[in-house]
Amino acid sequence: MSLFDKFKPLIDIRAELDRAGVMPFGAVTEKILSPTEAIVNGHKVILAGTNNYLGLTFEPECIEAAQKALAEQGTGTTGSRMANGTFAGHVALEQELAAFFARQHCIVFSTGYAATMGMGSTLAGPGDVIVLDADSHASIYDGVRLGGADVVRFKHNDVADLEKRLRRLGERTANTLIIVEGIYSMLGDQAPLADIAEVKNKYGGLLMVDEAHSLGMLGSHGRGVAEAARVEAAVDFTVGTFSKSLGAIGGYCVSDHPELEAIRFAIRSYIFTASPSPSIIASTRVALRLMQERPELRERLWANAQRLYDGLKGLGFQVSPQVSPVVAVTIKDRDQAIAWWSRLLHNGAYVNLVMPPASPTTDSLLRCSVSAAHSDAQIDRIISAFAQLNPSTAQEANN
Ligand code: PMP
């Protein structure tokens, strides 16, 4: 027996991939050419798996603001938000996010992971209950585990199952936290938030929604699925990240509950980690403004999503249930998925290879995410990289 024994499955997969000459996990971006093109593992590719939804990573105004902050405030804060790491920029960004979401309170975190994990672990502890969607992101599961609340899972996006579980909880719903996502990260499907809000209002408890993949995409202001479903009033806490549509790194939680200002000092992932660097905060603030000033980015994103979705579906691939900036192709056979991921790279398209347990089912995924920065021609090149895979084999692999 050794501490390493439990890693044997991982070591075996790694060896198998090495033998096949494939490096899907931690593929190296050797040169980044633009928001949509790079040299990855030696191949010039269209980037189709970056979550760079609005394509803001090379935005001159963001870069200029980050460079100015770097020159004026240095490379890092060297401390936690609670100690020396709260600069004026952090406070300003919190105010700007609160205003954007039309909420009273906001906390800025160092990563989206720290935001979701921190809120989940702090809001509900021993004796409390967390009811969560079974397909929740690892940051939600990790928070729940750390907090020590009783955990109840409901079937993915199944509101009847959620209701059944809340009903069974009886009076315990008073200290229950319900956690769902807006757009789900792997398949790109949306939570039925109107129905979830109705059930939450009927049974009680608090509702937290992780809009990591929906910020800037849905709702009249781009606030996400809750805004699009017109149920923001039922959402107690919205969490999200700067690492996708805002093109940087960091996370946030917004809420109208005044308690958030005290809760901030109980969140371990806020207290015991250094705050985001001033340059990150500066670029995020500009990106948040640009996201609001340029609704055309969102329109472009959805047009690209539709184009890729139609293209892959037309080729006979099994795509996500809903058109979304995340377009995932499901492949039953893991080896087929690995081989195709590699072929796609050779064909000029970088996508994400997702295998169980990271995928929500026992299937593997070739997960694409589109960007507002993709041109029609680039989307067509992604489709043509898939076309060279022979989709009829895809259908066989799925039978
Ligand atoms: N929540 C969800 C739903 C996510 O998909 C992610 C990242 N994939 C996170 C939280 C964590 O965000 P970050 O990577 O910015 O830390």
Side-chain angles (χ1 to χ4, degrees):
M1 259 304 261
S2 105
L3 288 179
F4 296 135
D5 287 354
K6 57 184 166 295
F7 302 112
K8 178 132 190 349
L10 278 180
I11 292 166
D12 289 348
I13 290 180
R14 184 76 225 241
E16 191 186 319
L17 293 174
D18 274 353
R19 273 195 301 279
V22 190
M23 264 197 299
F25 305 117
V28 180
T29 300
E30 285 139 9
K31 193 162 189 223
I32 180 96
L33 305 167
S34 74
T36 53
E37 285 187 302
I39 300 187
V40 176
N41 284 5
H43 301 277
K44 182 155 188 250
V45 290
I46 306 291
L47 294 168
T50 59
N51 308 310
N52 192 1
Y53 297 119
L54 300 181
L56 291 176
T57 48
F58 279 81
E59 194 57 37
E61 248 195 278
C62 293
I63 293 175
E64 203 183 306
Q67 284 171 335
K68 187 165 181 287
L70 200 53
E72 289 176 359
Q73 299 172 56
T75 51
T77 67
T78 68
S80 128
R81 290 293 310 273
M82 203 165 157
N84 58 303
T86 294
F87 285 21
H90 298 93
V91 178
L93 179 54
E94 283 177 347
Q95 285 163 356
E96 286 155 10
L97 280 163
F100 170 68
F101 280 99
R103 298 290 193 183
Q104 293 297 313
H105 308 279
C106 175
I107 304 179
V108 160
F109 293 82
S110 302
T111 63
Y113 177 88
T116 308
M117 195 274 283
M119 290 309 298
S121 61
T122 311
L123 283 170
D128 301 326
V129 187
I130 289 189
V131 179
L132 51 77
D133 186 288
D135 283 6
S136 289
H137 186 257
S139 56
I140 297 174
Y141 274 107
D142 291 356
V144 163
R145 247 182 245 137
L146 186 66
D150 297 332
V151 180
V152 178
R153 291 193 300 175
F154 67 94
K155 280 189 218 124
H156 176 54
N157 274 352
D158 185 335
V159 183
D161 194 38
L162 168 65
E163 176 160 17
K164 186 171 85 188
R165 287 166 196 280
L166 289 174
R167 197 184 314 118
R168 275 191 202 150
L169 282 171
E171 285 177 4
R172 292 194 77 193
T173 52
N175 56 330
T176 290
L177 176 67
I178 303 165
I179 310 182
V180 297
E181 293 175 33
I183 288 183
Y184 280 83
S185 57
M186 288 298 138
L187 293 177
D189 50 339
Q190 290 174 31
L193 269 188
D195 297 338
I196 290 173
E198 203 180 311
V199 169
K200 177 247 172 178
N201 288 338
K202 182 169 165 195
Y203 290 90
L206 298 179
L207 174 62
M208 181 165 101
V209 182
D210 184 343
E211 300 256 20
H213 291 268
S214 20
L215 172 68
M217 285 175 213
L218 288 160
S220 53
H221 298 87
R223 299 201 285 244
V225 176
E227 186 184 29
R230 299 173 192 275
V231 290
E232 287 175 292
V235 177
D236 297 280
F237 302 95
T238 302
V239 285
T241 178
F242 308 150
S243 73
K244 304 186 195 302
S245 46
L246 298 178
I249 184 168
Y252 61 88
C253 173
V254 291
S255 175
D256 276 336
H257 290 285
E259 291 84 353
L260 191 69
E261 293 306 334
I263 293 171
R264 153 189 322 256
F265 301 115
I267 307 170
R268 298 176 70 82
S269 64
Y270 175 85
I271 305 169
F272 296 108
T273 194
S275 64
S277 300
S279 55
I280 295 292
I281 295 294
S283 85
T284 303
R285 291 179 64 192
V286 176
L288 180 65
R289 175 169 57 72
L290 294 179
M291 185 178 88
Q292 295 168 77
E293 285 172 3
R294 297 192 197 160
E296 66 274 14
L297 290 177
R298 208 179 333 153
E299 281 160 32
R300 184 76 212 143
L301 174 74
W302 281 99
N304 284 342
Q306 186 76 53
R307 194 177 184 93
L308 183 64
Y309 187 88
D310 292 345
L312 297 186
K313 199 170 178 186
L315 287 172
F317 288 103
Q318 186 185 329
V319 287
S320 326
Q322 250 174 322
V323 179
S324 146
V326 175
V327 183
V329 171
T330 296
I331 295 158
K332 285 233 176 305
D333 182 62
R334 198 190 71 175
D335 293 342
Q336 174 89 87
I338 295 169
W340 278 359
W341 177 86
S342 182
R343 292 254 308 277
L344 284 173
L345 202 65
H346 283 82
N347 297 347
Y350 169 80
V351 306
N352 307 125
L353 173 65
V354 186
M355 299 187 332
S359 68
T361 64
T362 52
D363 300 331
S364 294
L365 301 174
L366 292 172
R367 174 191 181 272
C368 307
S369 55
V370 295
S371 170
H374 282 126
S375 63
D376 286 353
Q378 287 178 321
I379 297 287
D380 292 346
R381 273 161 65 194
I382 301 166
I383 297 167
S384 105
F386 272 92
Q388 293 167 54
L389 295 177
N390 188 2
S392 60
T393 343
Q395 273 158 350
E396 274 162 36
N398 279 326
N399 287 334

